[in-house]
Amino acid sequence: MKSKKLILVLLLSSFYSAFAQKEGYWDKERSTTKEIIVSARDRIIIPTEDLPLGTTEVIYRITLLDENQQLASSLVSVLKSIPDPSGISQGSAGAVFLMSKISGDDKCKYALFTDQAIAKSYVQTGKTDKACYAQEEPVSKDAKRLSLDKTSCLQPNVNTIWFGFESKNWLLKQKIVLEVVPWVDVKLSRGWNQENKKEIISQCKTSNLAQKMASSDEFCVCILEKIQKQYRYTEFDKLLAMEKIKAYKDYGNTCYNDTSISKNIYSDLRNQASKLIKSQKYGEAITLLNTVIADKKATALDYSAIGYCYIITKQYEKAIKFLKEGEKLDETELQLKLNLAHAYLVSDDYKDAKAIYKKYQTQNVTDSLSWIQKVKLDFAAFKKANLPSANFDRVLDLFN
């Protein structure tokens, strides 16, 4: 039974480790390990290796050794058994685990700086008021975790941390071992931050596809995600202008063809066109409806709406052309049939108009609006627009 529990624990531990490695990793290749000799009563500064892009955590360990002493185990080897930096903070055991197993009798004070000039000033003055962290109580060993969200020592624009040491041995030199290991977030290591992501979104919103939409947020986020997946930011930034344009176009077409985004685009265009028709901005409505038709996404109602706009702007031939196209999509759409009758009537084709008006006079155009009521409403609008009205009364007499 105990062996089964042990196997389960090992499996869970293995799973957790594998999962954590997908999120980030300890970058041992760019860790810092330096053995420093500090003269008695002296101060010295030591820079870390350049922190890799995407560093969100840093673990450091400082150990003072007596002459000829060696560390029992390196910090990198210790961290191999901790797959995630959060594990270091879980109780005092984690802190003890990070501490060197040996240290000398000497002690030192130290401070951390993110600016080289300030660090150099520390060597001369010993002042730590501009340090991002200062250990004022002399220690023989120390270990800490610095986190991006909890310290100014680690910020996106910080590439190097400067460690300043002050010897507290008044007679003899000291041997200090400094070890620093960065934790790299896999996603952030690709170089995408808030600013450059906003840059992609802004560029996307100027595209023709985005401008078709009432809200292009979902569309532009889709493009951003595809670019982020394909490129590191530095890679994308180095592309030629024509290569970037092609990337936007290719990913834009892919996102545009996404079912949900595509439906939203044409729904937005129809809603905008409907509002423009109500505001009597028929030319602008025609432009939007033509976009829907050109993209082969039009319904019979879209053809009916554009036909109405052409009628009221006295473009009768175009009205008849589009309304006949709409009939091919749905022979039962009565709003379209009515607009076709109107188009015939105002273009002085009373015979064809009469046949349609008579055929559907007992039906409803919508669930609550009758054919005859809709005819009267349309005729009133046509009179205001100064359309030919000589035959309006003849049509209304058909319904008596």
Side-chain angles (χ1 to χ4, degrees):
M1 186 67 179
K2 287 183 179 180
S3 63
K4 287 184 179 179
K5 287 184 178 180
L6 179 60
I7 291 170
L8 179 60
V9 169
L10 289 173
L11 285 172
L12 288 172
S13 175
S14 173
F15 172 79
Y16 175 77
S17 177
F19 178 79
Q21 294 304 317
K22 290 180 182 178
E23 300 297 321
Y25 57 93
W26 296 112
D27 193 337
K28 62 180 181 180
E29 300 301 325
R30 284 175 282 191
S31 62
T32 299
T33 302
K34 294 185 179 181
E35 192 171 294
I36 314 130
I37 302 298
V38 186
S39 300
R41 294 176 291 175
D42 201 2
R43 282 187 292 270
I44 190 172
I45 55 171
I46 302 295
T48 63
E49 300 294 335
D50 287 346
L51 299 175
L53 190 63
T55 298
T56 57
E57 313 271 347
V58 161
I59 300 298
Y60 69 84
R61 183 170 71 175
I62 296 166
T63 312
L64 277 73
L65 300 175
D66 289 338
E67 194 170 358
N68 299 322
Q69 275 187 306
Q70 299 293 322
L71 287 175
S73 58
S74 70
L75 183 58
V76 168
S77 64
V78 171
L79 290 175
K80 283 182 179 178
S81 60
I82 306 176
D84 188 292
S86 61
I88 294 163
S89 303
Q90 294 171 359
S92 59
V96 172
F97 190 51
L98 282 175
M99 286 294 193
S100 174
K101 293 181 181 178
I102 60 171
S103 66
D105 296 325
D106 282 344
K107 293 185 178 182
C108 73
K109 295 198 297 184
Y110 71 91
L112 277 58
F113 304 90
T114 57
D115 184 276
Q116 185 178 8
I118 295 174
K120 286 182 176 179
S121 175
Y122 162 80
V123 174
Q124 302 298 321
T125 66
K127 291 183 178 179
T128 60
D129 54 312
K130 293 184 179 179
C132 59
Y133 177 78
Q135 175 60 45
E136 300 292 358
E137 186 69 27
V139 293
S140 62
K141 57 185 175 182
D142 203 1
K144 280 188 171 53
R145 167 195 175 201
L146 303 177
S147 177
L148 181 65
D149 58 350
K150 293 181 180 179
T151 178
S152 60
C153 292
L154 199 61
Q155 296 301 321
N157 60 337
V158 173
N159 298 319
T160 305
I161 299 175
W162 295 81
F163 279 75
F165 296 98
E166 181 178 350
S167 170
K168 301 313 291 181
N169 190 318
W170 286 74
L171 299 172
L172 302 173
K173 62 185 179 183
Q174 293 181 324
K175 182 162 69 171
I176 301 174
V177 177
L178 170 65
E179 300 167 279
V180 184
V181 185
W183 170 268
V184 180
D185 183 290
V186 170
K187 186 179 289 186
L188 294 180
S189 71
R190 297 183 66 78
W192 292 98
N193 57 36
Q194 291 295 96
E195 291 307 311
N196 52 45
K197 286 194 283 189
K198 286 179 182 177
E199 178 187 325
I200 300 296
I201 295 291
S202 297
Q203 185 66 33
C204 165
K205 285 182 177 290
T206 64
S207 68
N208 291 332
L209 284 176
Q211 290 179 354
K212 289 181 180 181
M213 310 170 200
S215 174
S216 57
D217 290 350
E218 184 182 358
F219 173 69
C220 289
V221 167
C222 175
I223 290 178
L224 172 62
E225 288 175 346
K226 291 186 182 300
I227 290 175
Q228 281 182 289
K229 186 176 181 179
Q230 180 68 29
Y231 300 98
R232 292 179 181 272
Y233 176 70
T234 52
E235 294 171 343
F236 185 76
D237 194 44
K238 289 177 182 177
L239 293 179
L240 297 173
M242 62 182 69
E243 291 177 312
K244 288 183 179 179
I245 290 171
K246 185 178 186 302
Y248 279 112
K249 183 179 178 181
D250 291 346
Y251 294 132
N253 287 335
T254 301
C255 292
Y256 187 67
N257 291 327
D258 178 88
T259 304
S260 62
I261 292 178
S262 179
K263 284 182 178 178
N264 288 339
I265 291 170
Y266 298 109
S267 177
D268 288 342
L269 288 174
R270 290 184 185 102
N271 290 335
Q272 290 176 61
S274 178
K275 290 176 181 177
L276 289 168
I277 291 170
K278 288 178 182 177
S279 301
Q280 299 181 16
K281 297 178 180 178
Y282 302 111
E284 293 177 45
I286 286 171
T287 300
L288 294 182
L289 291 167
N290 263 322
T291 299
V292 178
I293 291 168
D295 289 349
K296 299 181 179 180
K297 301 294 183 180
T299 64
L301 282 175
D302 295 326
Y303 280 100
S304 176
I306 199 170
Y308 178 84
C309 291
Y310 278 128
I311 291 169
I312 209 158
T313 55
K314 301 180 181 179
Q315 300 179 74
Y316 308 134
E317 293 301 320
K318 286 184 178 180
I320 292 170
K321 172 191 169 185
F322 279 93
L323 291 165
K324 282 185 169 294
E325 286 295 318
E327 273 190 313
K328 297 174 185 176
L329 297 178
D330 188 351
E331 278 283 346
T332 66
E333 181 48 66
L334 293 194
Q335 288 196 56
L336 186 145
K337 292 286 189 184
L338 182 55
N339 282 329
L340 183 58
H342 292 333
Y344 285 140
L345 185 68
V346 294
S347 60
D348 205 26
D349 185 354
Y350 179 74
K351 180 181 177 183
D352 285 341
K354 176 184 175 182
I356 299 173
Y357 285 126
K358 286 285 289 180
K359 183 175 181 179
Y360 301 106
Q361 65 178 321
T362 61
Q363 297 191 43
N364 276 8
V365 176
T366 68
D367 60 345
S368 58
L369 184 65
S370 72
W371 176 272
I372 295 173
Q373 288 173 320
K374 180 61 172 152
V375 170
K376 291 178 180 178
L377 289 172
D378 288 347
F379 282 178
F382 294 160
K383 283 182 180 179
K384 284 185 180 181
N386 294 316
L387 266 62
S389 58
N391 291 318
F392 286 1
D393 289 336
R394 291 177 69 187
V395 171
L396 294 176
D397 287 342
L398 295 173
F399 305 142
N400 294 328

